[in-house]
Structure formats: C-alpha cells, structure tokens
Amino acid sequence: MTIQTTRLSDPAVRGFVTAVNAHDRDAFLALLAPDATMADDGADRDLAEWIDQEIFSSNGHMEVDNESNGGRALIARYRNDTWGEMRTRWDFTVDEQGRIARFETGQA
C-alpha cells in the first residue's frame, strides 16, 4: 500500500519525494546540503549529473510503499522514462540544519 507523500515522517525526505514528483528542480536542490553526495547501487555518483539523468530529464516519480528509520529509509516504486518502474530502496542522511547531506538508492 502506498504511503501518501504528505504522511512521510521526516520533513526533508517528504520534501525530497514532493520535489521529485513535482519535477521541481529548485525545490529539490534547496533540500540538499551544499556538499551533498549520493550513491546508486553502491557506487558514488556525480550528484548533479545523476539527478538530471535519473529524475528531471526522464520524468522521475516515486510512490513510497514503506518507511523506516524515522522516515529516513524508504522502499518505493520508482519510475522514469529511461528505466520504467522498479522497486527501489532509498536511505537518507539529514544534517543538523534539516537538509539532506547524502542519499543512497538502488534496487530493493
């Protein structure tokens, strides 16, 4: 069963999912710490390049099925125009200012 985005526990993660689904790059970038990093399937990637390819230029969309770790770990059905839909895991590190310092994703 899908969790409504507005019911996600962690404010930064809720904002992340909202920005992805709204295709709002400015809102997305505002959620990230200045030196934010990310990894996909265990490999560190260039954040700007990855979000452009996997989210914003390919109509990325997340439907969250499960959250844990206080809302900072998600299982979601993620789809985009490049890869179609897949079951993915997302783990977030949120800094003291409430911004996302790191996220890791991959197939679940």
Side-chain angles (χ1 to χ4, degrees), residues 5-77:
T5 303
T6 56
R7 295 180 180 267
L8 293 173
S9 301
D10 187 275
V13 173
R14 185 169 57 244
F16 181 100
V17 175
T18 300
V20 167
N21 291 348
H23 310 290
D24 188 337
R25 183 190 301 264
D26 291 338
F28 182 93
L29 294 174
L31 295 164
L32 301 179
D35 56 352
T37 61
M38 63 86 51
D40 187 356
D41 283 328
D44 276 21
R45 301 290 176 89
D46 178 275
L47 179 67
E49 183 179 290
W50 189 91
I51 65 172
D52 183 58
Q53 291 176 353
E54 300 294 334
I55 299 174
F56 295 108
S57 69
S58 62
N59 297 305
H61 188 85
M62 298 175 75
E63 290 185 41
V64 178
D65 291 329
N66 186 313
E67 67 171 4
S68 57
N69 189 29
R72 293 185 179 176
L74 305 178
I75 298 294
R77 283 168 286 141

